[in-house]
Amino acid sequence: MSEEKSLNFIEEIIEADLSSNKCASISTRFPPEPNGYLHIGHSKAICLNFGLAAKYGGTTNLRFDDTNPVTEDTEYVESIKEDIKWLGFNWTNELYASDYFDKLYAFALELIEKDLAYVDDSSSEEIALLKGTPTEPGKPSEFRSRSIEENRTLFTEMKNGVYKDGEKVLRAKIDMAHTNMLMRDPIIYRIKHAHHHRTANKWCIYPMYDFAHGQSDSIENITHSICTLEFIPHRELYEWFIEKLNIFPSRQYEMARLNMTYTVMSKRKLLQLVNEGYVNGWDDPRMPTISGFRRKGYTPLSIRNFCEKIGVARRENMIDLSLLEFCLREDLNVTAKRVMAVLDPIKLVITNYDADKTEELIAENGPDETMGTRLIPFSNTLWIEREDFMEVPAKKWFRLAPGSVVRLKNAYIVKCESFEKNENGDISTIYCTYYPESKSGNDTSGISVKGTIHWLSAAHAATAEIRLYDRLFKVENPSAEEGDFKSFINPDSLTTISSAYIEPSLVESKLDDRFQFIRKGYFCLDKDSNPEKLVFNRTVTLKDTWGKIAD
RNA sequence: UGGGUUAUUGUGUAAAGGUAGCACUACAGAUUUUGAUUCUGUCUGUCUUGGUUCGAAUCCAGGUAACCCAACCA
């Protein structure tokens, strides 16, 4: 039974265009500005653009929208390329809006010759003033009626560096009374004596977004140019330039951007978090950046599945973080190697197990048998999780308590006989007896237990630093709250355990390995690790039904 | 108070005039050597008021609400 999956509105447009022969094949593009790191919102656009081309047999260009030299940098270009590749996509061409500066300059000249552009000497304040407001029409600048010759001369001089920043701009001549503010003679070129990351000092005039984006799409024969809702008003201008320049008719389609609970998505806010030290860089595992998710241990597949599940539509949305986490666990559950680690240790001594004895016990690496098994050392002195013992057991408690029995995962069933407290009243040691015939794999004891807990042999365990991450913000939508969004940062977004116990096999971990620390969550090695000190990041917790009951 | 866009369960997203479906979340139960996974089940929805129609989430008219637009940013 193959169930017909419904199309999103862009797929419907594409299928209509293809079947009506409006276009023979499709071309999309992903057009980031290299002024910051990519975040999970960008991955929606990436998956959509690349996914559409893959589905319909088209091409996808990676085009850097680098028309503003003062904010852009090659550091960002490199990170963006790395992130897209990591997500699993390959672009057809790597291009830059700056590749088209000569063509765009010629386009501007063409508009001047058609008397559709003019040089304005007004200051930005004067231009803003004459622009009017959404409810009042604008008024023409005194420079609007300059002759074509004069405009040509002045624009050439602008390009040749005769004028200082802000002294002159080139504007399209459209309609100062238009209801769309963007059509009120928009600025299309401005003077910036700035170093550009690719063209260096060749240019001192740079095209604005509106004069670069549509024409770049057109130059590349992009058929479906997908952007977010806030660009709806730009579409009219986008089409105006294409029409007046009589170039390939790319078409713009808008979709809602991704918003997610418990985080912020604007580059401005993310930059603040980095610059003001609320996080440790763009790839801090608490950041919603692709590099942050990668470092935290997310898999490319989980993010692609997430982008598939959230859909594409034109209404504002706020996606539950739990959907992303569901996609993550869904992937990790079948791929992560199962190992044991004790984050908050308490000593357990098995009084009837020979103190000099060590056994190698068999443990499965994962739920799938093809993942194989490994041997783990067992002895009479173990570390177990402090939270797995209760002096006075709660209702429905089926872990360790005085007189109760539990199974040690992959080992024996033990019975708690007694315990000791230290001078602070904290439990320091638990004493148990074990049932030799209850050995994992060939249990003939006939004892049934409700609880199974993880453990580590104290003599054999290695140590590591473990970083536990929680949501970055305390509130679902920090941007919508009154006041500074930074005041809603979760103070417990990072908990560092400087010395936790891990099973010996983990000392050989590699950066790409994914683990489930049994009963504790999914973890991965952090790049801060070195031969002296291993560092693990918690990628995501396991679902915790007991935690809810206990509350 | 100009223009544009949108409104389906707690959250997403389908239904192209004909059974309001799917996923996440939440809750309940079964299985479990991870209180995980897996399996089974349950709950809640068409912004509003009218109209057209045998029949409206869908078409029409009027409200309402949210978001976007007045950078030499993208």
Side-chain angles (χ1 to χ4, degrees):
Chain A
M1 273 296 170
S2 74
E3 223 165 83
E4 187 104 347
K5 196 181 174 298
S6 56
L7 303 176
N8 65 48
F9 79 97
I10 293 177
E11 291 169 327
E12 283 179 0
I13 290 167
I14 288 173
E15 296 201 355
D17 290 347
L18 254 17
S19 62
S20 70
N21 275 320
K22 186 175 167 188
C23 52
S25 64
I26 67 161
S27 269
T28 61
R29 103 269 90 118
F30 176 63
E33 182 186 14
N35 69 345
Y37 281 62
L38 260 27
H39 54 65
I40 187 79
H42 291 110
S43 61
K44 177 181 181 182
I46 293 169
C47 292
L48 215 216
N49 280 296
F50 285 93
L52 251 17
K55 177 172 181 179
Y56 294 104
T59 59
T60 305
N61 288 341
L62 168 60
R63 184 177 69 236
F64 290 96
D65 228 332
D66 56 349
T67 57
N68 186 358
V70 304
T71 58
E72 295 154 5
D73 196 274
T74 46
E75 174 201 347
Y76 298 123
V77 170
E78 294 311 313
S79 77
I80 287 168
K81 287 162 64 175
E82 186 187 354
D83 288 348
I84 298 171
K85 279 188 259 179
W86 178 78
L87 276 176
F89 297 106
N90 300 300
W91 46 89
T92 310
N93 300 109
E94 177 183 333
L95 300 166
Y96 295 79
S98 54
D99 295 339
Y100 310 134
F101 281 171
D102 286 297
K103 282 181 185 163
L104 294 169
Y105 178 74
F107 284 147
L109 248 17
E110 189 178 334
L111 289 186
I112 289 172
E113 296 307 324
K114 290 177 174 169
D115 198 23
L116 291 172
Y118 62 97
V119 172
D120 195 327
D121 300 0
S122 311
S123 68
S124 65
E125 294 76 22
E126 289 163 338
I127 290 177
L129 218 57
L130 288 175
K131 199 150 200 171
T133 69
T135 51
E136 302 163 59
K139 296 187 192 70
S141 153
E142 58 178 301
F143 302 101
R144 197 173 200 264
S145 50
R146 285 219 250 237
S147 70
I148 290 173
E149 294 69 33
E150 191 181 5
N151 282 321
R152 184 167 51 224
T153 304
L154 291 171
F155 185 54
T156 308
E157 287 176 353
M158 277 170 64
K159 178 202 166 212
N160 290 338
V162 174
Y163 307 108
K164 292 196 283 289
D165 289 12
E167 234 177 293
K168 286 181 167 47
V169 291
L170 184 71
R171 303 177 71 178
K173 190 186 282 190
I174 306 179
D175 178 0
M176 287 307 291
H178 206 288
T179 53
N180 181 350
M181 297 290 287
L182 279 158
M183 298 297 277
R184 321 243 262 227
D185 289 12
I187 292 166
I188 59 178
Y189 259 98
R190 75 293 211 188
I191 301 170
K192 274 180 194 280
H193 291 272
H195 181 269
H196 186 279
H197 74 112
R198 298 195 90 230
T199 60
N201 299 314
K202 180 181 174 191
W203 297 87
C204 64
I205 56 170
Y206 292 92
M208 297 286 288
Y209 166 85
D210 286 303
F211 198 69
H213 202 99
Q215 286 95 310
S216 299
D217 284 343
S218 181
I219 290 166
E220 294 173 22
N221 281 214
I222 301 300
T223 54
H224 300 262
S225 177
I226 300 162
C227 60
T228 47
L229 254 25
E230 64 267 29
F231 288 93
I232 289 174
H234 294 253
R235 188 175 61 228
E236 201 171 6
L237 226 201
Y238 182 105
E239 293 181 347
W240 191 88
F241 288 127
I242 283 176
E243 185 206 321
K244 298 304 177 194
L245 262 7
N246 192 27
I247 54 179
F248 179 84
S250 297
R251 289 290 171 248
Q252 172 182 304
Y253 301 94
E254 309 87 10
M255 58 151 178
R257 70 184 315 139
L258 166 68
N259 297 299
M260 208 166 57
T261 54
Y262 301 107
T263 191
V264 294
M265 215 69 94
S266 90
K267 265 187 200 171
R268 200 191 97 249
K269 292 193 174 102
L270 296 177
L271 187 64
Q272 268 185 69
L273 293 175
V274 173
N275 287 346
E276 297 172 24
Y278 290 95
V279 296
N280 305 312
W282 285 100
D283 69 344
D284 186 298
R286 290 166 291 182
M287 289 284 275
T289 51
I290 294 177
S291 53
F293 282 119
R294 176 169 61 233
R295 186 170 175 189
K296 195 172 173 184
Y298 276 64
T299 61
L301 179 63
S302 67
I303 293 178
R304 280 188 260 122
N305 285 344
F306 171 71
C307 290
E308 183 69 34
K309 281 188 206 292
I310 59 177
V312 179
R314 278 167 74 85
R315 42 178 176 265
E316 300 285 342
N317 59 74
M318 177 65 73
I319 311 279
D320 260 329
L321 175 60
S322 57
L323 180 61
L324 214 208
E325 294 185 336
F326 167 81
C327 294
L328 213 214
R329 293 190 184 108
E330 185 183 40
D331 183 18
L332 257 15
N333 180 47
V334 298
T335 55
K337 183 179 179 184
R338 310 293 136 119
V339 295
M340 294 199 276
V342 177
L343 309 192
D344 184 13
I346 183 169
K347 188 174 284 182
L348 183 151
V349 176
I350 302 173
T351 54
N352 60 339
Y353 192 93
D354 187 345
D356 302 323
K357 188 177 170 187
T358 297
E359 268 187 274
E360 297 276 310
L361 301 175
I362 300 165
E364 314 84 37
N365 291 330
D368 185 344
E369 282 175 16
T370 62
M371 294 173 86
T373 59
R374 68 189 183 290
L375 295 174
I376 48 175
F378 181 83
S379 64
N380 83 320
T381 304
L382 311 174
W383 296 118
I384 66 162
E385 212 71 59
R386 183 170 292 274
E387 63 176 15
D388 285 339
F389 179 82
M390 264 187 115
E391 185 179 349
V392 183
K395 255 188 184 169
K396 285 194 168 179
W397 176 262
F398 40 84
R399 303 181 193 173
L400 214 48
S404 78
V405 291
V406 296
R407 173 171 290 281
L408 298 172
K409 176 79 178 167
N410 298 128
Y412 299 93
I413 293 173
V414 292
K415 179 179 185 185
C416 175
E417 305 287 357
S418 63
F419 60 90
E420 268 174 15
K421 288 186 178 180
N422 63 18
E423 57 278 10
N424 300 325
D426 297 329
I427 295 180
S428 53
T429 309
I430 297 166
Y431 295 95
C432 291
T433 52
Y434 86 115
Y435 300 90
E437 66 281 11
S438 68
K439 186 171 178 173
S440 185
N442 42 348
D443 183 349
T444 56
S445 70
I447 303 167
S448 77
V449 295
K450 285 284 274 185
T452 300
I453 65 172
H454 60 283
W455 54 272
L456 249 21
S457 167
H460 303 88
T463 60
E465 176 178 315
I466 293 186
R467 297 175 183 170
L468 305 177
Y469 296 101
D470 199 355
R471 50 183 62 140
L472 222 203
F473 290 90
K474 295 179 290 190
V475 297
E476 282 203 351
N477 188 359
S479 302
E481 298 283 338
E482 288 286 321
D484 187 358
F485 77 99
K486 298 193 292 301
S487 62
F488 300 100
I489 288 178
N490 175 9
D492 303 317
S493 60
L494 169 61
T495 304
T496 302
I497 298 171
S498 55
S499 186
Y501 292 108
I502 57 173
E503 74 170 63
S505 71
L506 282 171
V507 302
E508 286 158 31
S509 309
K510 295 185 295 292
L511 245 26
D512 286 337
D513 293 339
R514 294 289 180 279
F515 302 101
Q516 184 193 109
F517 290 0
I518 288 176
R519 303 208 303 133
K520 297 309 295 179
Y522 294 98
F523 291 78
C524 71
L525 197 66
D526 187 80
K527 66 175 186 182
D528 284 348
S529 298
N530 60 51
E532 279 77 50
K533 187 181 84 170
L534 294 178
V535 178
F536 286 90
N537 296 322
R538 184 173 68 195
T539 308
V540 68
T541 59
L542 259 24
K543 279 186 74 175
D544 182 13
T545 310
W546 170 251
K548 282 182 207 160
I549 296 168
D551 292 341

